[in-house]
């Protein structure tokens, strides 16, 4: 039935090839108009896992609590400390400039110059609460006496290490960003905000005396977007290398242009579809177009290989193109459907950015069925070759086949047994080596950027000099109204904060009970023995009143009492330890009316992302493998084919995980699509090789000589494709973006590994299975095979 459908499609398409090609070219021209309008977009909300406990907490209290989408700016004196009139004046100017940045929630802005920075002190006249820099102080009235008073207030207020560096070299301005304008609801343009921050803050206020350091999601994502523009250069370099390699392979400018043009057409359709659907291209997804292009090149080389072989056997270009279409439509479609399903399964991950990436990649792969399996052979049928080209290619093919024939000896029974044994040992080592592989970030700073990037240099400097940085895990404690006056509730929250404070990787905590205890000690001449929570509600209320609602440690009705845990970094292990501490405390301590919820803060959001990736990775890969199993069995109607195609792929996947762990590459939203692609590319190799094997088995040949012929004919294209793609992505190692360099290494490794598995373990496994359980009955001929 399927064979008849393939033959009918062949007659229809090649019988009207001019009209079909005209429709495709017209579609491409129209799509190019939309594709030209595509631009980069990014949003903090796109990073949030939907429906996760932590994200629900963050969304519910994002207007009450600050810290998840925070911008931190440090004004640092290059010489001496900040206790100089010019430096403090510069800090004031930066504070005012931050107030008027797009998207800044002005309620959240904090620095020494803002009224929400207060100090509590016991004086001879009683308890006093005042601003660190009073309203009577102006930047023009900063003499030695005023500066001395400000410095005393900073020390007494406990702001050393938080708003002021531990060595007094700098001071911090913090602000939270709104993901959308509260009035217009227009989303904040992070790509445009980054350069504006650079221009309006660093460009204006950094000079020979003062350094301005900036970290936060807005700056990080804009720096990534800026670096991502360099992807165009590496894409162009990879394109040139690929073009040169394809020409070397087929020695025809026309065939080279055909393969590359058809691969690019699907990218145009992909970009246009994103624009039509209202999506942009996320900076973290800039590699997806090249991944789709790589898949197209893989299939294009197989088509060119088939066509050149048919021409060498005496066929005309037109007939060779028709034979290529019919012979490769089924295995090519199977491979692309597997890749499509692989990317589509990313939709099970409830993170908007990954789902957008899944749509982007799935569209590109789906279009490959049309552009590489239909359009390419039709365009190739119009190619004109000189009379001696076929003879030259025959000589070249014979030379290449003699070289690949050495590899085909792996199908000999004795060699096959040893190869399978080595494959089993490698699988065991890979499973052992990939144990406890990293999920999430494994390096401090922005892992997408190089260690030498300005953002990461700023992040390291701030982490060294401040105990309160960007990485905050906020635990939300829900209580009945006015529960902050209740000793039992406050004592429990204080105990939770103590548990977090003693967790590895937590450098400090902030909570209302700690400030109440400080007030209690202050009322008793600063004696630390009196630094405890008062049991009297009125005393508790009086101390809380001194803290002020602007502290962000309680809401007006005292129903939300957060505990902020400041982490040393946002490594997956650091965040995991803090989260586990909260979960353990919550499980062991139950108090009426107290509900402990995880989590807000940027570390809470990252914890949710890490947990979602870890929970969905296995089901997603199982969906991909289930698709492969179903497609292989339905196509070849043989369980041997299922084992031969899937087991080498499984070995390659686990070796890839081992490789990631060895290079400290964590499983993140950027690396996950690469592993899915690796499965897709591996399937390409497996399907094309096994399709030829099935054809020769159907002709009556035994397994060993059939595999010799299959590897000789398709192994050349497989090895060539892997080498070409690996060389192309290996150039990414020089990218200014670290995650792109890591992906280049990972992709190059996976391309080569899957190729090695396909030309060694796949045939060896098939031979061993066939020897152990001999076939009975005729072998079905592959659909569409000539």
């Amino acid at each position: 039935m399927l064979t008849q459908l393939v033959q009918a499609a062949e007659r229809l398409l090649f019988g009207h090839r001019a009209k079909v090609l005209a429709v495709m070219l017209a579609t491409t021209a129209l799509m190019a108009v939309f594709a030209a309008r595509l631009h980069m977009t990014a949003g903090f909300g796109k990073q949030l896992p939907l429906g996760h406990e932590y994200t629900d907490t963050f969304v519910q209290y994002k207007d009450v609590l600050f810290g998840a989408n925070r911008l931190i700016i440090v004004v640092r004196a290059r010489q001496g400390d900040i206790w100089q009139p010019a430096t403090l004046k510069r800090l004031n100017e930066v504070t005012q400039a931050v107030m008027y940045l797009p998207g800044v929630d002005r309620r959240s802005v904090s620095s020494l110059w803002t009224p929400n920075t207060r100090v509590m002190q016991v004086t001879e006249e009683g308890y006093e609460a005042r601003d660190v820099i009073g309203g009577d102080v102006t930047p023009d009235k900063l003499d030695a006496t005023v500066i001395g008073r400000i410095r005393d207030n900073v020390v007494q207020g406990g702001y050393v290490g938080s708003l002021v560096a531990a060595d007094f070299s700098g001071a911090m301005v913090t602000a939270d960003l709104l993901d959308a304008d509260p009035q217009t609801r227009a989303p904040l343009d992070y790509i445009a905000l980054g350069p504006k921050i650079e221009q309006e803050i660093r460009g204006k206020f950094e000079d020979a005396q003062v350094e301005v350091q900036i970290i936060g999601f807005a700056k990080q994502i804009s720096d990534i977007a800026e670096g991502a523009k360099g992807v165009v250069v590496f894409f162009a370099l990879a394109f040139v290398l690929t073009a040169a390699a394809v020409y070397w392979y087929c020695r025809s400018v026309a065939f080279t242009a055909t393969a590359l043009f058809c691969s690019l057409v699907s990218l145009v359709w992909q970009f246009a579809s994103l624009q039509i659907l209202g999506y942009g291209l996320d900076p973290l997804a800039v590699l997806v177009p090249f991944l789709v292009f790589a898949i197209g090149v893989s299939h294009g080389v197989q088509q060119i290989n088939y066509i050149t072989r048919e021409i060498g056997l005496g066929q005309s270009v037109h007939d060779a193109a028709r034979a290529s279409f019919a012979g490769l439509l089924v295995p090519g479609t199977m491979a692309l459907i597997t890749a499509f399903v692989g990317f589509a399964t990313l939709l099970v991950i409830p993170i908007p950015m990954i789902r957008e990436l899944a749509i982007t990649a799935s569209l590109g792969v789906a279009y490959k069925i049309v552009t590489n399996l239909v359009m390419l052979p039709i365009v190739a049928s119009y190619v004109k070759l000189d009379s001696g080209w076929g003879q030259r290619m025959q000589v070249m093919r014979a030379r290449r086949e003699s070289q690949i024939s050495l590899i085909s000896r792996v199908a000999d029974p004795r060699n096959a047994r040893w190869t399978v044994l080595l494959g089993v040992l490698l699988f065991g080592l890979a499973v052992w080596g990939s144990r406890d592989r990293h999920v999430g970030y494994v390096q401090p700073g922005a892992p997408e950027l190089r260690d030498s990037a300005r953002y990461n240099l700023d992040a390291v400097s701030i982490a060294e000099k401040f105990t309160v940085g960007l990485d905050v895990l906020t635990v939300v404690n829900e209580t009945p109204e006015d529960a902050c006056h209740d000793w039992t509730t406050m004592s429990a929250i204080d105990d939770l904060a103590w548990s977090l404070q003693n967790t590895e990787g937590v450098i400090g905590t902030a909570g209302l009970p700690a400030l109440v205890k400080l007030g209690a000690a202050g009322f008793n001449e600063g004696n630390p023995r009196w630094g405890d929570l008062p049991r009297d509600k009125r005393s508790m209320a009086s101390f809380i009143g001194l803290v002020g609602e602007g502290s962000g440690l309680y809401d007006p009705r005292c129903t939300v009492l957060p505990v902020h845990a400041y982490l040393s970094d946002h490594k997956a292990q650091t965040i995991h330890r803090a989260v586990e501490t909260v979960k353990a405390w919550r499980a062991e301590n139950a108090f009426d009316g107290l509900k402990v919820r995880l989590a807000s803060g940027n570390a809470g959001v990252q914890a949710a992302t890490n947990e979602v990736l870890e929970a969905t990775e296995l089901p997603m890969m199982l969906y991909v493998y289930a698709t492969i199993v179903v497609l292989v069995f339905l196509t070849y109607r043989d369980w041997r084919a299922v084992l031969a195609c899937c087991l080498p792929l499984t070995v390659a996947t686990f070796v890839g995980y081992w490789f990631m762990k060895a290079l400290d590459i964590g499983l993140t939203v950027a690396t996950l699509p690469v592993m899915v692609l690796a499965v897709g590319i591996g399937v390409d190799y497996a399907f094309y090789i096994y399709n030829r094997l099935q054809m020769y088995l159907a002709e009556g040949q035994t397994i060993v000589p059939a595999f010799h012929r299959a590897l000789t004919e398709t192994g050349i294209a497989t090895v060539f494709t892997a080498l070409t793609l690996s060389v192309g992505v290996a150039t990414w190692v020089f990218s200014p973006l670290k995650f792109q360099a890591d992906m280049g290494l990972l992709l190059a490794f996976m391309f080569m590994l899957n190729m090695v598995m396909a030309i060694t373990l796949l045939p060896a496994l098939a031979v061993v299975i066939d020897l152990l359980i001999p076939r009975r009955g005729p072998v079905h001929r592959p659909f569409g095979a000539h």
Side-chain angles (χ1 to χ4, degrees):
M1 178 65 179
L2 187 56
T3 301
Q4 285 78 16
L5 289 175
V6 171
Q7 293 172 350
E10 177 189 343
R11 290 192 298 269
L12 175 65
L13 294 172
F14 281 86
H16 305 84
R17 57 178 181 154
K19 295 178 181 178
V20 172
L21 188 57
V23 170
M24 291 182 177
L25 292 176
T27 301
T28 303
L30 178 62
M31 289 292 205
V33 175
F34 290 99
R37 301 174 185 173
L38 187 70
H39 60 280
M40 282 192 182
T41 61
F44 184 77
K46 291 166 61 177
Q47 313 285 324
L48 305 179
L50 303 176
H52 193 279
E53 174 196 352
Y54 308 167
T55 308
D56 291 343
T57 302
F58 164 75
V59 172
Q60 182 176 346
Y61 293 106
K62 65 180 180 180
D63 295 328
V64 179
L65 305 171
F66 305 123
N69 188 6
R70 176 163 290 179
L71 181 68
I72 292 180
I73 300 172
V74 170
V75 176
R76 189 183 72 85
R78 295 186 187 274
Q79 299 293 331
D81 53 36
I82 63 165
W83 307 124
Q84 307 168 44
T87 308
L88 288 174
K89 183 179 180 180
R90 188 67 54 85
L91 177 64
N92 178 69
E93 292 170 343
V94 170
T95 303
Q96 296 303 314
V98 169
M99 287 277 190
Y100 294 96
L101 284 175
V104 167
D105 186 346
R106 295 182 186 176
R107 302 171 303 162
S108 68
V109 178
S110 294
S111 84
L112 297 183
W113 285 95
T114 56
N116 55 7
T117 306
R118 297 172 63 78
V119 58
M120 295 180 292
Q121 183 181 14
V122 178
T123 67
E124 295 177 354
E125 299 176 355
Y127 203 83
E128 179 184 348
R130 61 183 181 274
D131 295 343
V132 170
I133 300 181
D136 59 333
V137 178
T138 64
D140 297 326
K141 297 180 179 179
L142 292 171
D143 54 30
T145 302
V146 173
I147 292 177
R149 188 166 66 246
I150 294 173
R151 177 171 179 164
D152 290 342
N153 287 342
V154 166
V155 174
Q156 292 167 6
Y159 293 107
V160 177
S162 56
L163 284 180
V164 176
D167 60 357
F168 296 138
S169 61
M172 182 182 291
V173 181
T174 66
D176 277 56
L177 298 176
L178 301 169
D179 213 29
D181 188 295
Q183 295 179 341
T184 64
R185 309 309 301 171
L188 180 61
D189 188 347
Y190 287 91
I191 307 300
L193 178 60
K196 190 171 183 65
I197 293 173
E198 192 72 27
Q199 178 184 357
E200 297 294 327
I201 305 297
R202 184 141 42 206
K204 284 186 177 181
F205 301 115
E206 185 174 73
D207 55 27
Q209 286 72 44
V210 172
E211 178 186 2
V212 177
Q213 301 170 334
I214 308 171
I215 59 174
F217 173 78
K219 192 68 179 72
Q220 176 183 340
I221 200 68
S222 67
D223 286 359
I224 294 172
E226 186 64 29
K229 295 177 182 177
V231 170
V232 177
V233 175
F234 290 98
F235 183 88
L237 179 59
F239 182 85
V240 170
L241 291 174
T242 302
V246 173
Y247 176 77
W248 175 85
Y249 183 77
C250 66
R251 304 301 168 94
S252 168
V253 174
F255 278 147
T256 301
T258 297
L260 297 177
F261 172 75
C262 293
S263 294
L264 288 175
V265 164
S266 65
L267 290 186
V268 175
W269 293 8
Q270 178 188 28
F271 288 156
S273 298
L274 288 177
Q275 172 65 21
I276 293 170
L277 292 173
Y279 294 110
L281 188 60
D282 194 281
L284 293 176
V286 292
L287 300 183
V288 171
F290 182 82
L291 301 186
V292 174
F293 175 74
I295 292 175
V297 170
S298 175
H299 290 274
V301 170
Q302 292 290 348
Q303 292 277 0
I304 297 299
N305 180 65
Y306 202 116
I307 292 172
T308 55
R309 184 176 62 83
E310 292 295 314
I311 293 175
L313 295 176
Q315 296 271 18
S316 66
V317 175
H318 178 269
D319 291 340
R322 292 188 65 155
S324 173
F325 169 81
L328 297 182
L329 180 62
V330 171
T333 301
M334 287 171 56
L336 288 172
I337 288 176
T338 302
F340 174 85
V341 171
F343 284 121
T345 53
L346 292 173
L347 290 169
V348 306
I349 301 177
I351 299 176
M353 198 216 80
I354 293 186
R355 288 182 171 176
E356 186 175 312
L357 183 150
I359 293 172
T360 302
S362 299
L363 284 172
V365 172
Y367 288 142
K368 289 294 178 190
I369 297 177
V370 179
T371 60
N372 284 82
L373 301 184
V374 178
M375 186 179 189
L376 193 152
I378 291 178
V379 173
S381 68
Y382 285 99
V383 170
K384 303 296 183 184
L385 300 170
D386 63 82
S387 56
W389 183 86
Q391 186 176 0
R392 292 196 302 272
M393 286 304 300
Q394 276 294 87
V395 174
M396 188 174 298
R397 284 186 64 85
R399 185 166 62 250
R400 291 171 179 170
E401 288 176 0
S402 65
Q403 295 169 350
I404 203 74
S405 64
L406 297 175
I407 300 176
S408 69
R409 293 178 183 176
V410 75
D412 295 339
R414 182 180 178 183
N415 296 334
R417 293 188 183 97
W418 282 108
T419 302
V420 170
L421 179 60
L422 288 174
V424 171
L425 292 175
L426 179 61
F427 179 71
L429 286 173
V431 171
W432 178 83
S434 61
R435 290 174 304 126
D436 302 323
R437 62 183 182 275
H438 310 299
V439 177
Y441 299 135
V442 295
Q443 300 292 338
E448 297 86 359
L449 302 172
R450 298 278 189 181
D451 292 341
S452 58
R454 177 65 188 269
Y455 183 94
N456 279 340
L457 293 176
D458 287 352
V460 170
S461 176
I462 292 172
E464 288 176 349
K465 298 181 182 297
F466 293 83
T467 57
V468 175
L470 185 65
D471 302 311
V472 183
L473 178 74
T474 299
V475 182
V476 177
N477 298 292
E478 295 178 340
T479 63
E481 191 168 347
D482 292 330
C484 58
H485 303 152
D486 178 65
W487 179 87
T488 302
T489 302
M490 292 285 282
S491 180
I493 294 173
D494 188 47
D495 185 61
L496 170 60
W498 174 258
S499 298
L500 276 168
Q501 179 70 60
N502 288 277
T503 300
E504 183 183 354
V506 177
I507 56 179
T509 60
L512 184 60
L515 290 185
V516 170
K517 290 163 70 175
L518 180 64
F523 261 111
N524 292 275
E525 300 178 349
N527 191 328
R529 293 185 179 182
W530 290 93
D532 201 357
L533 295 172
R535 294 177 181 268
D536 180 67
K537 291 187 176 182
R538 288 176 299 178
S539 298
M540 188 86 77
S542 65
F543 297 143
I544 292 173
L546 294 171
V547 174
E549 293 181 11
S551 64
L553 297 178
Y554 65 100
D555 68 329
R557 297 170 54 238
C558 255
T559 58
V560 179
L561 305 175
V563 172
H564 305 289
Y566 299 98
L567 310 182
S568 57
D569 52 58
H570 53 245
K571 294 181 182 178
Q573 290 182 343
T574 304
I575 296 175
H576 179 73
R577 282 193 294 263
V579 168
E580 288 303 308
T581 294
V582 177
K583 288 182 176 179
W585 189 93
R586 184 170 60 182
E588 296 171 2
N589 299 274
F591 295 90
D592 291 338
L594 176 61
K595 183 177 181 181
V596 179
R597 292 182 58 176
L598 286 162
S600 188
N602 69 308
V605 171
Q606 187 59 51
T609 302
N610 293 347
E611 290 186 9
V612 165
L613 289 177
E614 190 171 13
T616 55
E617 181 204 8
L618 179 58
M620 185 190 66
M621 296 302 286
L622 290 177
Y623 293 150
V624 175
Y625 275 90
T627 303
I628 297 172
V629 169
V630 171
L631 286 175
V632 172
F633 188 78
L634 291 179
T635 303
Y636 300 120
R637 290 153 287 178
D638 188 352
W639 60 268
R640 294 173 177 82
V642 174
L643 293 179
C645 291
C646 292
L647 293 183
L649 201 60
T650 305
V651 175
T653 299
F654 275 91
V655 174
Y657 286 139
W658 188 12
F659 183 79
M660 288 176 64
K661 184 179 179 182
L663 291 187
D664 280 338
I665 300 175
L667 186 68
T668 65
V669 294
T671 57
L672 190 59
V674 173
M675 295 308 296
V676 174
L677 171 75
V679 175
I681 290 290
V683 167
D684 288 355
Y685 301 154
F687 283 167
Y688 283 120
I689 290 176
Y690 204 88
N691 204 64
R692 300 303 296 177
L693 168 70
Q694 188 89 344
M695 189 179 75
Y696 295 130
L697 290 176
E699 292 176 356
Q701 296 188 28
T702 58
I703 184 74
V704 174
F707 247 125
H708 276 289
R709 287 192 63 185
L711 283 178
T712 300
E713 293 180 2
T714 60
I716 300 172
T718 300
V719 173
F720 168 79
T721 301
L723 289 172
T724 301
L725 296 180
S726 297
V727 170
V729 298
T731 60
W732 295 358
V733 173
F734 304 103
S735 170
L737 294 179
K738 186 177 185 301
F739 90 99
Q740 186 182 0
D742 288 343
M743 293 309 94
L745 281 174
L746 182 58
L747 277 172
F749 179 78
M750 294 305 296
F751 285 154
M752 294 299 295
L753 178 64
N754 276 294
M755 177 268 290
V756 171
M757 291 294 106
I759 65 174
T760 58
L761 187 56
L762 187 154
L765 194 59
V767 169
V768 169
I769 293 172
D770 210 63
L771 291 174
L772 293 175
I773 308 176
R775 297 172 185 265
R776 290 185 173 87
V779 176
H780 296 284
R781 189 176 183 82
F783 296 114
H786 283 235

